Amino acid sequence: QSALTQPPSASGSPGQSVTISCTGTSSDVGGYNYVSWYQQHPGKAPKLMIYEVNKRPSGVPDRFSGSKSANTASLTVSGLQAEDEADYYCGSYAGSSNLVFGGGTKLTVL
Amino acid sequence: QVQLVESGGGVVQPGRSLRLSCAASGFTFSSSAMHWVRQAPGKGLEWMTVISNDGNYENYADSVKDRFTISRDNSENTLYLQVNSLRAEDTAIYYCARGTNNWWYFDLWGRGTLVTVSS
């Protein structure tokens, strides 16, 4: 149950797009379409932003989108806004009733 | 109001035990699989355990297997985590989270309860 690999940091200016990657293996990200993404502001609980690779829960802006290719999932934030500055975590089902998270990416809006 | 509220955290000596609780309200608790996720100070999220909606199935991450036990009381809309033989590395915020229909993503989180293991 090794953690998924995310870049520690990402940044962009307001209005720009940023993509955060999440790399696993064929036993987790590559093996299932159960990849999710969570946003966490300092001192707050995580919030679901994307589920099943590319689906958005009600209330999440369509500026947030997800995709997957082989063992790597990606979260793209378009039209960056100041409130998007937060930590982002990917999560994936890893078989045998286990789940694994990524190490997290700190997104900075310049 | 749909919410999860954790309690039971605190400062505990190494080797001791704690029972964490998560009170659910505003939704049909007995229909949802439930999870515990923890976050060490300044670190990332770590999935620990899941329990089925009826309590008949549970599973654990290797890091907590044999020391932690998840349970639930659907009549009281409450989820529990029994944590034994605590170690310094168990210091973290412990979140309960609701699993969705396929169990493996979390659409509702509590605010967490802090467990500090220190002598």
Side-chain angles (χ1 to χ4, degrees):
Chain A
Q1 297 171 357
S2 299
L4 306 176
T5 301
Q6 296 182 235
S9 63
S11 63
S13 299
Q16 289 186 332
S17 293
V18 171
T19 297
I20 299 170
S21 62
C22 169
T23 301
T25 69
S26 57
S27 297
D28 38 62
V29 174
Y32 307 93
N33 286 326
Y34 291 153
V35 176
S36 51
W37 289 90
Y38 301 88
Q39 177 191 65
Q40 186 180 35
H41 287 109
K44 301 295 187 182
K47 175 186 176 184
L48 179 67
M49 304 301 284
I50 296 288
Y51 66 98
E52 291 178 5
V53 176
N54 57 14
K55 299 178 182 177
R56 274 188 315 276
S58 174
V60 172
D62 60 6
R63 302 183 294 102
F64 291 85
S65 62
S67 63
K68 189 183 85 166
S69 177
N71 297 337
T72 298
S74 299
L75 172 72
T76 298
V77 186
S78 305
L80 269 175
Q81 299 183 3
E83 60 262 35
D84 299 334
E85 184 162 296
D87 293 326
Y88 290 84
Y89 295 92
C90 60
S92 175
Y93 181 62
S96 301
S97 296
N98 287 287
L99 183 128
V100 62
F101 284 108
T105 298
K106 181 177 181 61
L107 175 60
T108 300
V109 180
L110 301 171
Chain B
Q1 183 179 3
V2 177
Q3 63 178 358
L4 299 169
V5 179
E6 301 92 338
S7 60
V11 180
V12 60
Q13 293 179 328
R16 304 296 291 265
S17 300
L18 272 182
R19 189 175 80 157
L20 307 181
S21 300
C22 169
S25 58
F27 66 99
T28 306
F29 180 69
S30 60
S31 294
S32 297
M34 297 295 297
H35 301 253
W36 287 97
V37 175
R38 70 181 177 183
Q39 186 170 34
K43 302 297 184 182
L45 302 175
E46 180 187 11
W47 176 82
M48 291 190 295
T49 179
V50 60
I51 188 168
S52 62
N53 65 305
D54 59 6
N56 288 335
Y57 178 82
E58 57 200 67
N59 197 47
Y60 300 87
D62 289 344
S63 60
V64 302
K65 200 171 292 185
D66 300 328
R67 293 193 301 123
F68 289 11
T69 302
I70 191 172
S71 62
R72 65 191 297 162
D73 184 340
N74 285 346
S75 67
E76 295 290 332
N77 292 334
T78 303
L79 176 73
Y80 300 101
L81 184 67
Q82 178 70 36
V83 295
N84 298 330
S85 303
L86 281 160
R87 309 164 179 166
E89 54 264 37
D90 296 319
T91 294
I93 297 173
Y94 286 71
Y95 295 101
C96 61
R98 183 176 69 180
T100 52
N101 288 346
N102 78 359
W103 289 26
W104 298 106
Y105 52 92
F106 315 132
D107 63 348
L108 180 66
W109 296 68
R111 299 178 71 174
T113 186
L114 177 62
V115 173
T116 302
V117 183
S118 174
S119 55

